[in-house]
């Protein structure tokens, strides 16, 4: 059984505060289970501390590039320290939304039409001409989002082409490449996947997301009382089963490990469309994985203690 865990939280991404909140919550949940859990930031003191007081396992809960692009996990593997979560190559595959969509489309998972637009192309070819061509291909409404990153930072839903240039500028402040994706109208859901101590892989109940503002933006995600959640989501049995299938297939086909969260949308016809997958799901008071675990009758501390045990075995 795991005796000591170091939770990595913080970092320098735009999601730093969310990561810290996630880390603190998981640490508290693990302590209730008798695990010596401590939280450490991603800074120059981390590696000396890992060498000085080596934990049984590390749980990376760093959001954004530094925590989800595989580089942090590369370092943990170089140090030969067990950690919860996906391997570096799988993280890199999942972290780029366009790349992940392309891989999942290969196995028949519905994804919305999208185009990736680097800032250099946007600038060099002329914004007006490029955007006109993309709108013609992707269609309205569309959503602008960074190809990498999370927490809906830099995300804008566009219904009027006149609003697109400003949305692109806002998106490029969070990353060098924007994704312009057809916006699928429907019910937003999230399906978390966890691996159990016996090696089985489980899709937790889908969480239905109903933001008061109509958009599940940063404020709606992390401000209590601004979004209504339904767990399990109000879906027919067949649609709920399909959502679980898509999340499990994304987890498997992208080579993910231990835990993930697939963000999906269900259109009025009941088609489940894949949006993106997260390899370091948030665990704050308003985050989706903890809500799903609770709905499944699972204690968050037990879930992460089991994952820590699993990480040490393989």
């Amino acid at each position: 059984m795991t005796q000591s865990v170091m939770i990595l939280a913080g970092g320098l991404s735009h999601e730093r505060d969310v990561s810290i909140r996630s880390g603190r919550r998981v640490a508290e949940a693990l302590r209730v289970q008798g695990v010596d859990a401590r939280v450490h930031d991603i800074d120059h003191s981390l590696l000396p501390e890992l060498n000085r007081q080596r934990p049984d396992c590390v749980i990376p809960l760093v959001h954004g590039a530094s925590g989800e692009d595989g580089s942090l996990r590369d370092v943990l593997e170089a140090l030969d320290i067990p950690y919860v979560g996906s391997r570096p190559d799988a993280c890199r595959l999942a972290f780029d939304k366009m790349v992940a969509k392309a891989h999942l489309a290969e196995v028949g998972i519905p994804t919305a039409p999208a185009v990736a637009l680097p800032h250099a192309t946007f600038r060099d070819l002329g914004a007006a001409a490029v955007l006109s061509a993309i709108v013609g291909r992707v269609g309205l409404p569309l959503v602008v989002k960074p190809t990498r990153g999370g927490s809906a930072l830099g995300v804008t839903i566009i219904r009027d082409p006149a609003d697109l240039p400003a949305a692109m500028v806002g998106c490029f402040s969070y990353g060098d490449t924007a994704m312009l994706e057809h916006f699928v109208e429907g019910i937003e859901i999230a399906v978390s996947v966890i691996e159990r101590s016996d090696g089985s892989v489980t899709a937790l109940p889908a969480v239905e997301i109903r933001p008061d503002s109509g958009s599940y933006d940063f404020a709606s995600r992390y401000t209590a009382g601004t979004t209504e959640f339904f767990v399990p989501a109000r879906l027919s049995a067949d649609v709920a089963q399909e959502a679980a299938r898509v999340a499990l297939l994304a987890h498997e086909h992208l080579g993910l490990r231990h835990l993930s969260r697939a963000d999906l949308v269900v259109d009025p016809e009941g088609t489940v469309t894949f949006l993106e997958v997260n390899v370091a799901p948030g665990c704050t008071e308003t985050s989706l994985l903890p809500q799903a675990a609770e709905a499944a009758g699972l204690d968050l501390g037990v879930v992460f203690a089991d994952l820590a045990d699993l990480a040490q075995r393989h």
Side-chain angles (χ1 to χ4, degrees):
M1 180 178 176
T2 302
Q3 300 296 319
S4 64
V5 166
M6 178 183 285
I7 299 168
L8 303 183
L12 296 176
S13 81
H14 299 289
E15 300 170 83
R16 172 179 172 80
D17 290 344
V18 176
S19 172
I20 291 173
R21 287 165 58 186
S22 292
R24 288 172 178 167
R25 185 177 184 194
V26 171
E28 291 169 2
L30 283 170
R31 289 170 190 144
V32 172
Q33 300 302 317
V35 178
D36 176 16
R38 51 200 167 109
V39 181
H40 202 291
D41 209 332
I42 306 300
D43 56 26
H44 68 279
S45 67
L46 174 60
L47 298 191
E49 179 64 15
L50 284 171
N51 288 320
R52 185 186 70 83
Q53 193 173 350
R54 187 182 181 92
D56 293 332
C57 182
V58 166
I59 301 177
L61 288 178
V62 182
H63 307 315
S66 59
E68 298 178 70
D69 66 359
S71 56
L72 178 60
R73 293 142 199 261
D74 273 325
V75 174
L76 293 173
E77 294 207 350
L79 295 172
D80 197 26
I81 295 178
Y83 62 90
V84 168
S86 297
R87 299 291 189 190
D89 286 348
C91 288
R92 283 186 273 271
L93 184 61
F95 188 54
D96 190 302
K97 297 178 178 67
M98 284 293 293
V99 175
K101 280 164 59 76
H103 272 73
L104 296 181
E106 291 177 355
V107 291
I109 292 179
T111 64
V115 172
L117 182 60
H119 184 264
T121 303
F122 179 75
R123 181 189 65 240
D124 295 345
L125 297 184
V130 170
L131 295 180
S132 176
I134 290 175
V135 169
R137 176 179 175 182
V138 174
L140 292 172
L142 60 79
V143 57
V144 178
K145 62 179 78 171
T147 55
R148 299 180 170 192
S151 292
L153 293 168
V155 176
T156 308
I157 298 171
I158 300 296
R159 300 182 187 277
D160 184 341
D163 298 328
L164 194 47
M168 296 296 295
V169 172
C171 182
F172 285 134
S173 67
Y174 290 98
D176 292 333
T177 303
M179 182 169 77
L180 292 85
E181 180 181 50
H182 183 72
F183 180 71
V184 179
E185 306 275 6
I187 300 170
E188 288 187 74
I189 62 171
V191 180
S192 298
V193 171
I194 59 171
E195 298 183 27
R196 309 308 306 275
S197 56
D198 62 3
S200 62
V201 184
T202 302
L204 299 179
V207 180
E208 179 181 346
I209 303 155
R210 292 282 183 174
D212 295 343
S213 66
S215 175
Y216 195 40
D217 56 15
F218 186 87
S220 298
R221 289 167 186 252
Y222 302 114
T223 305
T226 59
T227 298
E228 190 173 11
F229 300 100
F230 298 91
V231 197
R234 298 172 297 178
L235 305 170
S236 70
D238 287 346
V239 173
Q241 184 177 13
E242 174 63 7
R245 185 189 75 85
V246 168
L248 287 166
L249 189 56
H251 186 88
E252 176 187 2
H253 192 64
L254 294 173
L256 306 183
R257 187 181 75 147
H258 297 160
L259 77 168
S260 66
R261 191 197 72 228
D263 295 339
L264 315 167
V265 61
V266 181
D267 71 16
E269 287 72 43
T271 300
V272 177
T273 298
F274 172 86
L275 298 177
E276 60 187 83
V277 68
N278 193 311
V279 300
C283 291
T284 72
E285 296 75 10
T286 58
S287 293
L288 306 174
L289 185 149
Q291 294 187 60
E294 182 179 357
L298 301 174
D299 179 89
L300 190 65
V302 172
V303 168
F304 275 96
D306 284 349
L307 290 176
D309 289 343
L310 191 59
Q312 292 171 77
R313 297 203 300 270
H314 54 81

